[in-house]
Amino acid sequence: MTASPEIMGVCPPEYAAVKDAFAANFVDAPEGLNEQGARFSVCVGGETVIDLWGGRADAAGTVPFDERTLTPVFSTGKAVMALLIATCVERGLLDYEATVASYWPAFGQAGKDGITVGRMMSHQAGLPGFDAPEDPAIWFDREATLARLCAQSPMWPPGTASGYSPIVIGYLAGELFRLVDGRTMGAALREDFPGLDLWIGLPEAEHGRVAQMRKPSKATDLGAIDPIKTAAFLDRGSSPGGRGSAEWRTIEIPSANMHATAGDLARIMGVLANGGAFEGRAVLSADTLVQATRERIRGRDRVLPFDMGWAAGFTRNDLLKIFGPDANAVGHCGWGGSTAFADASRSVSAAYVMTRQSPHLIGDPRAQRLIGALYSVL
């Protein structure tokens, strides 16, 4: 057992159990996943009530993990991506029940003309990855990637099952957003939520604040492997190369390369926890909130080895129970353990980021310890 680092931040006495759980993750983490550097933030009613951080941000253990440390959160960024799509629905630029091809005709090739925005966002389009191996460099050429995906046929009949798309969904949602809004998602995030330390496409001037990640010690268990799972995760070109490189950090991949602080992830997820409002400003109406977060499909996912309930880009909690006890909570997890969620029944939003990655696809045990401690005192 190692000594716990100094725990910094804010945690009122009534939430002491959360601080204890956060400290315990450094010295006695479930499955031996002791933290290197981490942060856990919680908002209630849109106000930050817990914001804890500690440990080190670099592999050598010489740089403190502090309130300005940015962490790659990988697929946790999909929750923000889904929220940005919902803002287009709110403004009448998109309709979840309209076809993607009605906004983006090229997408309708190869049997994809009937896929709606809602089905695409809930991973029902049959596009978990490329259906034949590609050079990983293609991901750094946005136009080539989009052309390749538009020409591709679905890998199963759209609408019959979900099949999680780790990377592709970010290019599809990002292009759909750009076509109807005129801005990239990264630009819209900065302009519409000014002051938040959340980045889809990180400027080089900010790269020095990024924590170094420690990769999982073993491979993720995907269950029985088939061509669909291979396309999503295992082909040589199933994801961009050079994670951690300047090029990777700088390009915009809304599904995969968000850099964030837990504090501001928790704040933006408050839109979903507080009736569509962000710090007193109406962002989403009650109707759009329902459309964005309602169940669109449930059952065994064709990529993830779980029974999943998907909303329009958000993971629903009713089957997994990883975002607290409320069945209607929504959020997303990221590669290695990060998570962000919103529970409207209690006006709670929270986020967890860390530098030591685990092999858990969802429900990292360290995050579960923190969320369990939180709900024990709410």
Side-chain angles (χ1 to χ4, degrees), residues 66-375:
D66 62 26
E67 70 272 26
R68 294 192 71 252
T69 300
L70 289 171
T71 309
V73 297
F74 302 100
S75 289
T76 296
K78 288 183 173 74
V80 179
M81 176 188 78
L83 176 59
L84 290 171
I85 288 292
T87 67
C88 289
V89 174
E90 177 67 23
R91 291 175 286 153
L93 301 177
L94 288 175
D95 183 332
Y96 286 121
E97 308 315 317
T99 64
V100 176
S102 66
Y103 306 103
W104 181 9
F107 180 81
Q109 300 175 61
K112 302 192 297 298
D113 54 306
I115 296 172
T116 64
V117 174
R119 281 186 171 177
M120 184 191 81
M121 291 301 298
S122 54
H123 302 281
Q124 299 183 65
L127 299 173
F130 296 125
D131 57 3
E134 287 281 353
D135 189 316
I138 191 174
W139 297 105
F140 295 96
D141 184 338
R142 174 179 152 276
E143 293 298 332
T145 298
L146 293 173
R148 174 71 171 79
L149 293 171
C150 284
Q152 182 170 313
S153 298
M155 296 185 74
W156 64 88
T160 62
S162 68
Y164 177 64
S165 167
I167 309 293
V168 165
I169 188 62
Y171 284 82
L172 300 181
E175 179 64 2
L176 185 59
F177 185 96
R178 187 191 68 81
L179 287 170
V180 301
D181 178 276
R183 301 171 293 175
T184 66
M185 279 191 167
L189 180 59
R190 294 190 299 274
E191 293 169 10
D192 296 349
F193 297 91
L196 293 186
D197 212 357
L198 305 175
W199 305 85
I200 302 172
L202 185 67
E204 288 196 36
E206 307 292 341
H207 289 193
R209 296 196 288 134
V210 178
Q212 292 179 290
M213 307 300 285
R214 182 174 175 180
K215 293 182 179 179
S217 59
K218 63 180 181 180
T220 293
D221 182 7
L222 292 171
I225 301 303
D226 60 17
I228 291 172
K229 294 182 181 184
T230 298
F233 280 116
L234 302 175
D235 271 337
R236 176 172 173 265
S238 61
S239 64
R243 293 177 188 176
S245 69
E247 187 178 17
W248 157 262
R249 298 200 192 285
T250 304
I251 64 170
E252 289 194 21
I253 309 178
S255 55
N257 78 335
M258 171 169 277
H259 292 71
T261 65
D264 285 348
L265 274 174
R267 287 171 65 195
I268 199 169
M269 291 299 287
V271 173
L272 305 173
N274 297 290
F278 177 74
E279 300 184 347
R281 171 171 61 93
V283 176
L284 302 178
S285 65
D287 180 63
T288 302
L289 269 175
V290 169
Q291 291 185 63
T293 61
R294 72 168 178 84
E295 180 182 286
R296 292 183 176 270
I297 192 166
R298 70 159 49 205
R300 178 61 56 161
D301 194 83
R302 298 205 61 170
V303 171
L304 301 176
F306 306 109
D307 290 333
M308 302 289 294
W310 288 108
F314 303 105
T315 304
R316 285 182 51 81
N317 195 42
D318 54 339
L319 294 178
L320 298 171
K321 297 295 192 295
I322 56 173
F323 304 134
D326 188 73
N328 291 312
V330 294
H332 217 289
C333 299
W335 180 52
S338 64
T339 193
F341 73 93
D343 174 358
S345 73
R346 292 169 174 82
S347 297
V348 167
S349 57
Y352 163 74
V353 303
M354 73 302 128
T355 62
R356 180 171 183 174
Q357 296 180 293
S358 82
H360 294 270
L361 286 165
I362 57 175
D364 182 283
R366 296 164 297 179
Q368 291 302 290
R369 170 186 266 177
L370 293 168
I371 293 168
L374 171 64
Y375 278 91

